[in-house]
Amino acid sequence: MAVKIRLKRRGRKKLALYDVVVADSRAPRDGAFIEKLGNYNPMPPSGTKVRLDGDRALSWLLKGAQPTDTVRTLLSQEGVLLRKHLQEGVAKKAITQAQADKAFQKWEAEKEKKEAQKKSKLEAHPSGKKKARPDTQASPTQKEQKDTSPTSDPQDKIDSKGPSEVKGSGSEPTGSEVKGSGSEPTGSEVKGSGSEPTGSEVKGSGSEPTGSEVKGS
């Protein structure tokens, strides 16, 4: 029979609590178990998250019980896995029991020191929010200036130009360009054209004699 150290869920919806139990690997998660070793509260209002009987947990580990991944993390935080490692060294006569106890006491002192430092930091900054850098945070006046700045309007660009710039554009020709164009002849060109003779040319032509020529004939 494979024995596991795992979590058994209890509590209500959205507020789960777990018991650390020793159970058969074939049993359901919330089913029968062999022994209860402690409990685990992932969201405690205050105090510790884990309450565990380290001696009984160490006893089951030395007997061959296999913890799940989550329980392994909890046992490591409580120092049970370190104790198991030290006891295996004592069994192999690599170290003495006194040396194993001294190493574990040293680890406990370091753990308490780290927890005290962490607690002091939380008390100094209860909100837990980091201060924003001054260069990355815009002032309220700058935000108001950005919001109230006028947008560019095409009509403003047209109004800024003078009437000469609008008239001198290449889209439509001016009156002088229309008069000077070669599409239609002017009055002087019509009079000077050779299609129809003028009055002087009609009188000076040889087709019909004038009055002076008739009298002197």
Side-chain angles (χ1 to χ4, degrees), residues 101-154:
D101 295 340
K102 185 177 180 180
F104 184 72
Q105 290 175 1
K106 182 180 178 181
W107 177 86
E108 281 185 332
E110 292 178 356
K111 180 185 175 183
E112 291 176 358
K113 184 178 179 181
K114 289 180 181 179
E115 288 180 353
Q117 291 177 355
K118 185 177 179 181
K119 187 176 180 181
S120 62
K121 288 181 180 179
L122 292 175
E123 290 177 353
H125 302 285
S127 60
K129 295 181 180 179
K130 296 182 179 180
K131 293 182 179 180
R133 295 181 180 179
D135 55 346
T136 59
Q137 189 175 9
S139 61
T141 56
Q142 292 178 354
K143 291 182 180 180
E144 291 176 1
Q145 291 176 0
K146 290 181 180 179
D147 296 339
T148 57
S149 60
T151 57
S152 60
D153 192 358

Side-chain angles (χ1 to χ4, degrees), residues 58-110:
L58 177 63
S59 175
W60 279 104
L61 288 175
L62 293 175
K63 291 177 182 178
Q66 297 296 322
T68 59
D69 294 339
T70 305
V71 174
R72 184 182 294 276
T73 303
L74 299 177
L75 295 177
S76 177
Q77 293 175 358
E78 296 299 316
V80 178
L81 294 182
L82 177 61
R83 290 178 62 186
K84 177 178 178 288
H85 175 71
L86 294 174
Q87 289 300 320
E88 288 176 350
V90 173
K92 295 177 181 178
K93 296 182 180 181
I95 57 175
T96 60
Q97 187 65 42
Q99 291 175 345
D101 295 340
K102 185 177 180 180
F104 184 72
Q105 290 175 1
K106 182 180 178 181
W107 177 86
E108 281 185 332
E110 292 178 356

Side-chain angles (χ1 to χ4, degrees), residues 199-210 213:
S200 60
E201 290 176 354
V202 172
K203 291 180 181 181
S205 63
S207 59
E208 293 182 3
T210 61
E213 291 176 353

